[in-house]
C-alpha cells in the first residue's frame, strides 16, 4: 500500500527520529543550519524540557544553558543525546556573558512561577529584576540576538526588556518577543476538542496580551471555520483566558504550566529559526512593540523573516464580541506596560 505523508507528519518524523541521521543521509531536506541558542533559566520547570526539545532539533547547532543553579548537571545530561547540537552549561552571574556570546536567539524562562491564588502581576516584584538583569546582559553580549521572553508578567517584562535595550542604545523592536504561543496552543486544543477536529490542523489567532482578560482568542478567525452559540463561545473564551490558572490549581502549589509551555516555547523558537533561515510565510502571534492599537505593545499575528518581525499583520476583522474584548482589555494592558516602563525608569 502507498500513502502520502502529510506535511506536519513528515516534519514530526524529522523532529523526532534521529535528526543527525536524516541530516547526514538526506541532503535534499537541506536541514543543516547553524544557530546558537541560549536558554536563560535552563534548570527550571520550563527550562529543562524546553532545552530538551531544542537539543532534539536539527535547527540548533549550539545550545547554551544558563541558570543561577544546576546547569552543569542539566547540560551534562542533555549532552549525551545523539543529536548534533553541542550543549554547554553556565552557572552564576560571572558566567552569564560567556553564555550569551555569539547567540542568535535567547529564550528566557527565568523567574518564579505562580502559586494558587496568585495573578501573573503578583510575580512582578521578583521577576522584573531578573528580566532586567538578563536583558542588560543581552544588550552587552549579544545585542543583535532575537530575545524571546517567557517570564511573567509578559505584559510588563516586554516593556522592561525594551527599555533596558534602549538604555544601551541597541533596541530593535523587531527582535524582542513576548512568548504568548501557549495561548494559541491552548485555544487550538480546546476548539479541536469541542468540534472533534485534529488539533494539529486548527489555528486560532490570539491577540492582546498574556494575562486573564488581556488574552483575546479570535475564534471568528479560526481555521478551519468554526461556529459556536453565544453561551458556548463565551465559556470557551473564558477557559482559554484562565487555562493557566487551571494548571496552577491542578499542580496545587508545585508551580504553573511547564511542559505545555516548553512545547509552546520550542514551537515559537523553531518558527523564528525557520524564518531566519529564509523560510517564507512563517506567521506566529507574539506580544511586541506595536502601532496596531492604542497600546504601545500588543500581540497580533506577525510575519517573521530573517530579521525578526518582517510585517505586523495587525488585528484584522473582528466580530462584535471580539471588539468588546479588545476594548475591555485596554486599560489593564496599558497599566501593565506603564508599570514595566516605570520600573526601568526608576532603576539605579
Ligand atoms: N509566557 C507564558 O505563557 C508562560 C507560561 C508558563 C510560565 N511562565 C513563566 O515562566 C517563568 C518560569 O516558570 P518555571 O515554571 O520554569 O519556574 P521555575 O521556578 O521552575 O524555574 C525558574 C528558573 O529560573 C531560574 N532563575 C531564577 N533567577 C534567575 C536569574 N537571575 N538568572 C537565571 N535564572 C534564574 C531558577 O533558578 C529556576 O531554575 C515564570 O515566570 C512563569 O510565570 C510563562
Amino acid at each position: 500500500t502507498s500513502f502520502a505523508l502529510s506535511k506536519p507528519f513528515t516534519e514530526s518524523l524529522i523532529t523526532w527520529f534521529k535528526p543527525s541521521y536524516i541530516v547526514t543521509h538526506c541532503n535534499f531536506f537541506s536541514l543543516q543550519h547553524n544557530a546558537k541558542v541560549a536558554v536563560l533559566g535552563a534548570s527550571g520547570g520550563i527550562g529543562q524540557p524546553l532545552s530538551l526539545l531544542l537539543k532534539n532539533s536539527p535547527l540548533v547547532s549550539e545550545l547554551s544553558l544558563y541558570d543561577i543553579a544546576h546547569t552543569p548537571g542539566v547540560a551534562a545530561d542533555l549532552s549525551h543525546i545523539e543529536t548534533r547540537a553541542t550543549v554547554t552549561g553556565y552557572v552564576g552571574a560571572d558566567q552569564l556573558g560567556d553564555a550569551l556570546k555569539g547567540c542568535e536567539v535567547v529564550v528566557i524562562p527565568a523567574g518564579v512561577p505562580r502559586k494558587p491564588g496568585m495573578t501573573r502581576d503578583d510575580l512582578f516584584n521578583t521577576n522584573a529584576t531578573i528580566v532586567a538583569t538578563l536583558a542588560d546582559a543581552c544588550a552587552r553580549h549579544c545585542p543583535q540576538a532575537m530575545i524571546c521572553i517567557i517570564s511573567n508578567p509578559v505584559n510588563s517584562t516586554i516593556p522592561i526588556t525594551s527599555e533596558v535595550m534602549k538604555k544601551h542604545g541597541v533596541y530593535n523592536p523587531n527582535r524582542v518577543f513576548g512568548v504568548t504561543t501557549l495561548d494559541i496552543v491552548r485555544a487550538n486544543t480546546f476548539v479541536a476538542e469541542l468540534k472533534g477536529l485534529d488539533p494539529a490542523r486548527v489555528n486560532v489567532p490570539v491577540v492582546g496580551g498574556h494575562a486573564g482578560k488581556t488574552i483575546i482568542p479570535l475564534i471568528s478567525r479560526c481555521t478551519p471555520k468554526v461556529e459556536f452559540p453565544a453561551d458556548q463561545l463565551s465559556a470557551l473564551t473564558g477557559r482559554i483566558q484562565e487555562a493557566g490558572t487551571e494548571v496552577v490549581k491542578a499542580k496545587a502549589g508545585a508551580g504553573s504550566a511547564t511542559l505545555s509551555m516548553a512545547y509552546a516555547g520550542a514551537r515559537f523558537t523553531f518558527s523564528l529559526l525557520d524564518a531566519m533561515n529564509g523560510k517564507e510565510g512563517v506567521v506566529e502571534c507574539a506580544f511586541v512593540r506595536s502601532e496596531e492599537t492604542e497600546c504601545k505593545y500588543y500581540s497580533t499575528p506577525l510575519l517573521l523573516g530573517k530579521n525578526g518581525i518582517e510585517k505586523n499583520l495587525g488585528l484584522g476583522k473582528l466580530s462584535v464580541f471580539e471588539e468588546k474584548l479588545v476594548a475591555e482589555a485596554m486599560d489593564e494592558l496599558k497599566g501593565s506596560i506603564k508599570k514595566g516602563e516605570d520600573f526601568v525608569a526608576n532603576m539605579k
Side-chain angles (χ1 to χ4, degrees):
T1 50
S2 70
F3 60 94
L5 287 179
S6 70
K7 192 162 154 276
F9 184 56
T10 7
E11 276 170 1
S12 68
L13 270 181
I14 292 164
T15 310
W16 291 106
F17 287 89
K18 288 200 148 194
S20 55
Y21 175 87
I22 293 171
V23 168
T24 318
H25 298 275
C26 305
N27 288 335
F28 66 93
F29 275 116
S30 307
L31 285 170
Q32 191 83 43
H33 290 296
N34 292 317
K36 182 170 180 184
V37 178
V39 179
L40 312 184
S43 307
I46 296 167
Q48 291 202 36
L50 172 62
S51 302
L52 171 62
L53 294 170
L54 296 174
K55 168 68 176 134
N56 208 31
S57 169
L59 294 168
V60 179
S61 57
E62 277 181 77
L63 197 51
S64 184
L65 305 183
Y66 174 79
D67 202 299
I68 50 172
H70 308 309
T71 24
V74 176
D77 190 355
L78 287 177
S79 73
H80 290 181
I81 294 174
E82 51 176 353
T83 56
R84 75 184 178 110
T86 55
V87 187
T88 313
Y90 299 89
V91 68
D94 292 351
Q95 296 181 13
L96 179 54
D98 286 339
L100 292 171
K101 283 202 183 91
C103 286
E104 277 114 279
V105 177
V106 181
V107 192
I108 309 188
V112 290
R114 284 191 289 162
K115 288 194 162 31
M118 287 172 94
T119 67
R120 291 179 180 84
D121 188 57
D122 293 334
L123 305 171
F124 186 94
N125 288 343
T126 311
N127 290 356
T129 308
I130 294 174
V131 171
T133 307
L134 297 175
D136 182 87
C138 291
R140 289 173 198 273
H141 300 285
C142 56
Q144 302 286 324
M146 305 287 172
I147 303 184
C148 312
I149 308 277
I150 293 171
S151 319
N152 273 315
V154 166
N155 294 354
S156 303
T157 54
I158 298 311
I160 288 173
T161 304
S162 306
E163 291 302 311
V164 169
M165 302 296 283
K166 274 186 212 168
K167 274 195 172 177
H168 287 274
V170 295
Y171 178 50
N172 182 340
N174 295 326
R175 290 172 180 257
V176 178
F177 303 91
V179 181
T180 60
T181 319
L182 183 53
D183 301 318
I184 290 92
V185 165
R186 285 167 169 159
N188 294 346
T189 305
F190 301 163
V191 166
E193 269 170 24
L194 290 170
K195 292 293 180 189
L197 298 165
D198 172 1
R201 306 207 167 273
V202 175
N203 185 24
V204 181
V206 180
V207 301
H210 175 69
K213 69 179 184 188
T214 72
I215 298 169
I216 304 165
L218 303 182
I219 309 283
S220 74
R221 297 245 299 283
C222 175
T223 50
K225 191 134 192 60
V226 290
E227 304 263 0
F228 293 97
D231 56 340
Q232 218 183 349
L233 178 65
S234 164
L236 170 63
T237 302
R239 184 173 178 214
I240 296 164
Q241 292 174 327
E242 292 305 322
T245 307
E246 210 175 278
V247 179
V248 171
K249 278 192 188 147
K251 289 199 175 178
S256 60
T258 54
L259 303 171
S260 50
M261 182 59 239
Y263 166 82
R267 168 179 150 170
F268 185 77
T269 308
F270 297 150
S271 289
L272 198 53
L273 289 170
D274 274 339
M276 289 163 74
N277 288 331
K279 184 169 172 182
E280 291 189 2
V282 180
V283 175
E284 289 284 355
C285 296
F287 187 68
V288 298
R289 179 78 178 90
S290 173
E291 307 289 340
E292 301 303 317
T293 69
E294 57 198 77
C295 269
K296 252 173 122 172
Y297 296 84
Y298 210 83
S299 177
T300 44
L302 309 167
L303 178 66
L304 301 174
K306 289 197 164 129
N307 298 306
I309 303 172
E310 193 151 296
K311 188 168 187 241
N312 192 321
L313 302 177
L315 269 179
K317 194 170 159 24
L318 305 180
S319 68
V320 174
F321 175 69
E322 290 156 1
E323 270 172 6
K324 192 160 163 276
L325 296 176
V326 166
E328 283 170 0
M330 280 298 169
D331 284 349
E332 178 179 333
L333 210 37
K334 283 183 191 168
S336 301
I337 292 166
K338 183 166 186 310
K339 191 168 172 181
E341 291 180 335
D342 288 350
F343 176 81
V344 179
N346 295 326
M347 253 172 27
K348 282 185 248 99

